[in-house]
Amino acid sequence: MVHERDAGAGVFGDFPTWVPSEGPPPPDTDFDALMIFGGSMHVDQGDGHRWLTPEKEFIREHLGCGTPILGVCLGSQLLAEAAGAHPHRMTDPEIGWYHIEITEAGAADPVVGPLAPSVELFEWHHYAAPLPPGAVELARTPACVQAFRIDGKRAWGLQFHAEVTRENLSGWLDGWENSEAVQTDLDPDAIRAASEARIEQQNEVGRQLAERFLAEAARS
């Protein structure tokens, strides 16, 4: 599930894509797994993006029936809401490269575990989601939950952008002046320089993370 064409699966792989803003989901609802990606809209902006409400119901339905799900950034917030949490705007967004601490539960997790004890990854989000009921925190920064797993549901939420390609990340930074990020005191040139130095290593981390999720999904 892709919310904007420049915020898709990236290095996670090449998969059939549904863009909720462009129409209803495919008629075949027997999915092996769902990946839900990010976007510049926010989880509580249903009035401006009317497709968000049916998308949330779609996610809630598949969470309930046990479809393996991996949510990224906005996707993780939508998943958290479907599971009973209430995502909210952060006082200060996380945009750029952040050190992420893997929790004890995260170190034992089949998807997130190999990132322990910590990892530096790219983030771009103004909202965060608290831990949903029945979920386990897998990773964190001082600002918010960075990864969670909903026990018994084979569903993971990731706040960081391990999927983003060099090209897409560069495009996001090119659009800085037209994004909410322009309201911060962050330096897009510094973020771009840091990204050039780190993106290849992150891309490998992202590929392996997606492979682990798909391996877990295939166990069903």
Side-chain angles (χ1 to χ4, degrees):
M1 297 158 68
V2 172
H3 301 101
E4 292 177 325
R5 292 292 182 179
D6 66 348
V11 301
F12 279 13
D14 185 15
F15 308 106
T17 297
W18 170 41
V19 183
S21 62
E22 296 179 1
D28 179 8
T29 57
D30 186 19
F31 300 104
D32 295 328
L34 296 176
M35 290 186 180
I36 312 166
F37 294 99
S40 59
M41 66 292 299
H42 299 307
V43 65
D44 60 357
Q45 293 182 332
D47 288 345
H49 304 279
R50 296 301 179 93
W51 46 267
L52 269 171
T53 297
E55 181 186 3
K56 291 177 182 180
E57 185 56 37
F58 178 86
I59 296 168
R60 191 172 294 112
E61 175 185 343
H62 282 276
L63 180 63
C65 71
T67 303
I69 300 174
L70 180 68
V72 175
C73 199
L74 171 62
S76 74
Q77 296 159 21
L78 291 167
L79 174 61
E81 183 174 299
H86 299 284
H88 57 85
R89 181 176 287 275
M90 303 172 69
T91 302
D92 297 304
E94 289 183 315
I95 304 175
W97 293 84
Y98 291 80
H99 287 282
I100 297 167
E101 174 193 356
I102 308 303
T103 67
E104 183 176 350
D109 182 79
V111 174
V112 173
L115 304 182
S118 66
V119 64
E120 186 177 32
L121 296 171
F122 186 77
E123 311 226 27
W124 191 315
H125 63 106
H126 297 263
Y127 277 56
L131 202 61
V136 178
E137 185 182 43
L138 305 178
R140 65 168 73 100
T141 60
C144 67
V145 175
Q146 290 292 326
F148 62 85
R149 183 188 69 248
I150 303 173
D151 274 349
K153 296 294 186 181
R154 293 177 302 149
W156 287 262
L158 310 175
Q159 190 60 71
F160 45 84
H161 281 286
E163 86 294 349
V164 70
T165 64
R166 181 190 299 270
E167 179 183 14
N168 283 156
L169 195 160
S170 180
W172 296 354
L173 291 169
D174 289 344
W176 186 273
E177 294 300 319
N178 296 317
S179 72
E180 286 184 64
V182 75
Q183 301 170 17
T184 73
D185 59 1
L186 296 168
D187 181 353
D189 292 331
I191 295 172
R192 191 185 299 273
S195 300
E196 284 298 316
R198 295 172 171 86
I199 189 63
E200 286 189 16
Q201 182 177 0
Q202 176 179 278
N203 283 169
E204 185 57 32
V205 169
R207 292 184 191 98
Q208 293 177 9
L209 190 154
E211 288 173 2
R212 293 192 296 272
F213 165 71
L214 292 172
E216 286 302 304
R219 295 180 193 279
S220 58

